[in-house]
């Protein structure tokens, strides 16, 4: 998603395939590079934000005119790291915080479009596998214990657990959630969770 010109093509393809656009789930991003802020270059930050943030802005730019007409919904994937930063995750934390703020601003500005930022939790994904293998020595000791422990204790979520909630939200999120950042398993989302 570093190529921002893909965003209008994605929206056009969805409209051509389905006739209209009722919802948009923005669920992409990267963690790398994992290193302390002092070791990053401004160019690395820019590339990271192009992928994790500006590609989302490009998708919104392309989709909002249609979503206004259909009174659609936008679900953005946030992270606990947006509010609780981890050492060596500087750009990831900052880009997720920017997405959180973007969802809040959309909620304030777009009265006919519902926008919700969802914190999916610690999921059994390639990102988690890379944290435990490629990046473990770069993490602070407490974070090493947290992520290795979650894996060993079987506490990683299956992707479909928060994924099902997000899929249901993009179809039926109520207006009162617009602009909010909310955990996938919160009491407010119980009706969207698997029974």
């Amino acid at each position: 998603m570093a190529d921002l010109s893909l965003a209008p093509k994605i929206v056009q393809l969805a409209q051509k395939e389905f006739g209209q656009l009722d919802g948009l789930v923005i669920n992409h991003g990267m963690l790398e590079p994992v290193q302390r802020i002092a070791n990053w270059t401004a160019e690395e930050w820019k590339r990271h934000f192009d992928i994790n943030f500006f590609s989302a802005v490009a998708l919104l730019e392309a989709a909002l005119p249609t979503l206004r007409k259909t009174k659609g919904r936008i679900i953005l994937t946030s992270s606990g790291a947006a509010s609780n930063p981890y050492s060596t995750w500087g750009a990831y934390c900052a880009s997720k915080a920017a997405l959180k703020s973007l969802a809040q601003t959309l909620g304030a500005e777009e009265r006919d479009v519902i926008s919700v930022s969802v914190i999916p939790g610690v999921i059994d994904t390639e990102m988690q596998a890379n944290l435990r293998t490629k990046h473990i020595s770069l993490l602070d000791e407490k974070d090493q214990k947290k992520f290795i422990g979650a894996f060993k204790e079987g506490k990683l979520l299956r992707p479909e657990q928060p994924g099902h909630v997000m899929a249901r939200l993009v179809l039926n999120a109520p207006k009162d959630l617009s602009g909010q950042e909310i955990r996938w398993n919160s009491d407010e989302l119980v009706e969207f969770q698997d029974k």
Side-chain angles (χ1 to χ4, degrees):
M1 289 298 304
D3 182 354
L4 302 184
S5 71
L6 292 176
K9 294 173 185 172
I10 291 168
V11 171
Q12 289 167 2
L13 180 63
Q15 289 176 309
K16 181 181 174 188
E17 190 69 27
F18 303 109
Q20 67 182 33
L21 186 64
D22 297 308
L24 177 65
V25 177
I26 298 178
N27 181 38
H28 67 276
M30 67 178 210
L31 178 64
E32 286 81 10
V34 177
Q35 57 191 9
R36 298 200 179 277
I37 291 172
N39 298 327
W40 281 69
T41 66
E43 196 56 40
E44 287 172 315
W45 277 80
K46 183 181 179 308
R47 174 166 162 62
H48 192 99
F49 265 75
D50 281 347
I51 292 169
N52 283 19
F53 182 72
F54 289 112
S55 61
V57 172
L59 283 166
L60 291 170
E61 177 185 9
L64 269 173
T66 300
L67 291 172
R68 285 183 191 119
K69 291 176 189 171
T70 62
K71 299 195 182 310
R73 290 165 176 81
I74 300 165
I75 307 302
L76 296 103
T77 303
S78 186
S79 170
S83 301
N84 301 298
Y86 292 95
S87 175
T88 69
W89 292 20
Y92 182 81
C93 296
S95 66
K96 289 299 185 176
L99 279 175
K100 172 184 172 180
S101 182
L102 180 63
Q104 292 169 329
T105 304
L106 282 167
E109 291 181 358
E110 296 292 336
R111 300 295 178 203
D112 291 330
V113 178
I114 296 169
S115 303
V116 182
S117 178
V118 176
I119 301 171
V122 184
I123 305 171
D124 192 6
T125 61
E126 185 177 338
M127 178 180 145
Q128 282 297 314
N130 286 341
L131 275 175
R132 293 187 310 273
T133 56
K134 295 183 353 186
H135 306 307
I136 197 67
S137 65
L138 301 171
L139 300 180
D140 289 346
E141 186 177 342
K142 68 176 177 51
D143 298 331
Q144 290 177 13
K145 288 179 181 177
K146 174 184 177 174
F147 292 111
I148 290 173
F151 175 72
K152 286 183 176 178
E153 296 166 21
K155 292 183 178 178
L156 296 179
L157 298 168
R158 295 182 324 275
E160 60 270 17
Q161 289 175 282
H164 288 170
V165 171
M166 293 169 75
R168 291 177 184 121
L169 281 170
V170 80
L171 296 173
N172 296 305
K175 185 79 172 155
D176 64 326
L177 291 181
S178 195
Q180 291 189 40
E181 181 187 54
I182 192 160
R183 290 193 169 280
W184 77 276
N185 60 347
S186 69
D187 290 342
E188 294 91 342
L189 297 184
V190 72
E191 68 184 276
F192 298 94
Q193 297 163 17
D194 290 337
K195 305 296 183 233

